[in-house]
Amino acid sequence: MKPGLTLPQIRAFCALAQHRSFKAAAEHLEVSQPTIVGQIAGIEEAYGTKLFQRQRENNRLTDTGLALLGPMRAALDQVPEAEFILLSHSAAQTGEFNVVAVNPVRASNLIREFRVLYPNIKVNVSFVASDKAQQLIDDESVDVGFFVPGDSRPGQQAIHFYRYELMALLPVGHALCAKPALGLADFAGHELLIREPGSLTRKLFLAGLAKAGVEPRIAYELGSRESVREAVAQGLGVSVVAEDEHTPHERIVTKKILGQDLQADSCLVVLNKQLGSPLVKTLIELIRRR
């Protein structure tokens, strides 16, 4: 009886078919080149067939290899689904999981999906500014964080979650409401409401104004997006907010801000030592499925 195909062999075959180079395939899979050579040779020897026409940096599939490519890729595509099922039914069914986040909307939706898989896990969530979120990760006070990391830090991973833009918040009847969209220069001379130091929204907005050569006229500095929203509604000034963090208000008009300077990538930030946790693996898989 011939030995069955192994997952490493399937991965090696698909990687070599994609890259055509043993070296590139090895780098893609983060294994040694002899490992890839051995995996391909193992299939060919076990089944007495040739899968690739060997050429330097251009290993082409034979007819047999071409016929095999579709089923091999289909099999490989099913692995994440199988791993996801196993993770969600793993031994980690009770306990606590500590999360810090900046955006309550996105994080809450993801955690809701997570709780369906782990109904007996108590999830503790804190919503704070970006700098505080990073500090809690650094101090190992939480398991994971959802925020925009300021830089790459040793011992931590940042898995991309989503990209967002800032939009303008204007009181009804404000002069800027007549514009279909705003440029950063349009904020010149208007009283601004901004978040407290440490807020990424504040940092992005002020950096964008500086780049546009606009001197900010700060009227109020407020400690939460809710207080900013209410101050705008009361006509105390104009402000900005992440596009998916705003709750519609009858006395607030929102406007798109033109340009690329007010965008940021929110990530799942986790310590390397936590990457083996079934709970963390499940969160990562949920993010990749979105």
Side-chain angles (χ1 to χ4, degrees):
M1 181 178 178
K2 295 184 184 298
L5 288 169
T6 66
L7 183 56
Q9 286 176 328
I10 296 173
R11 283 180 170 145
F13 174 85
C14 291
L16 186 57
Q18 177 182 351
H19 297 282
R20 295 192 177 185
S21 160
F22 281 98
K23 179 181 178 182
E27 290 174 350
H28 175 74
L29 294 178
E30 299 182 344
V31 298
S32 68
Q33 187 170 329
T35 297
I36 298 292
V37 172
Q39 298 291 0
I40 300 300
I43 302 174
E44 292 178 331
E45 292 171 5
Y47 293 91
T49 189
K50 195 173 184 63
L51 303 178
F52 293 89
Q53 296 289 348
R54 304 294 201 272
Q55 295 180 17
R56 183 177 178 82
E57 303 301 319
N58 189 23
N59 296 275
R60 297 185 178 182
L61 289 164
T62 62
D63 290 344
T64 302
L66 283 170
L68 193 60
L69 183 58
M72 287 285 219
R73 283 179 171 167
L76 199 57
D77 288 343
Q78 293 302 309
V79 173
E81 181 72 22
E83 289 178 336
F84 186 65
I85 293 171
L86 288 170
L87 283 171
S88 64
H89 291 81
S90 67
Q93 294 292 337
T94 60
E96 295 190 7
F97 195 58
N98 297 301
V99 178
V100 65
V102 171
N103 185 327
V105 177
R106 299 271 190 159
S108 296
N109 288 338
L110 189 68
I111 290 168
R112 185 180 300 112
E113 295 178 36
F114 175 86
R115 288 273 294 138
V116 171
L117 299 170
Y118 294 103
N120 296 322
I121 296 292
K122 179 184 177 184
V123 182
N124 304 310
V125 187
S126 300
F127 294 105
V128 299
S130 297
D131 62 339
K132 179 62 175 178
Q134 182 64 71
Q135 180 185 333
L136 291 172
I137 290 289
D138 293 341
D139 295 344
E140 301 185 27
S141 300
V142 295
D143 296 299
V144 299
F146 293 98
F147 58 94
V148 179
D151 50 24
S152 177
R153 302 199 177 198
Q156 298 180 16
Q157 294 290 322
I159 294 96
H160 183 264
F161 186 16
Y162 66 95
R163 171 168 289 183
Y164 68 89
E165 298 180 352
L166 299 187
M167 66 180 184
L169 299 182
L170 310 172
V172 168
H174 192 278
L176 293 178
C177 291
K179 289 180 169 286
L182 303 181
L184 284 165
D186 291 320
F187 289 94
H190 294 284
E191 292 197 329
L192 305 179
L193 311 173
I194 64 170
R195 292 283 304 277
E196 75 286 2
S199 161
L200 180 67
T201 298
R202 171 195 175 115
K203 190 179 302 182
L204 279 174
F205 186 41
L206 294 184
L209 291 177
K211 187 175 180 181
V214 176
E215 183 68 29
R217 184 180 172 187
I218 299 173
Y220 295 92
E221 185 177 281
L222 301 162
S224 69
R225 62 180 62 88
E226 291 77 16
S227 57
V228 167
R229 175 173 174 267
E230 186 56 34
V232 172
Q234 294 297 325
L236 299 181
V238 302
S239 190
V240 295
V241 69
E243 57 189 343
D244 58 352
E245 291 182 354
H246 174 61
T247 302
H249 193 292
E250 62 182 5
R251 296 203 300 272
I252 294 177
V253 175
T254 61
K255 293 289 180 179
K256 179 178 177 61
I257 305 174
L258 303 175
Q260 302 296 314
D261 295 323
L262 301 183
Q263 295 181 341
D265 292 308
S266 183
C267 298
L268 168 66
V269 181
V270 57
L271 296 174
N272 288 348
K273 64 175 70 176
Q274 294 278 17
L275 290 172
S277 162
L279 302 180
V280 172
K281 287 183 176 180
T282 298
L283 270 182
I284 293 172
E285 183 59 30
L286 285 171
I287 288 172
R288 287 174 175 166
R289 285 166 166 251
R290 298 177 85 83

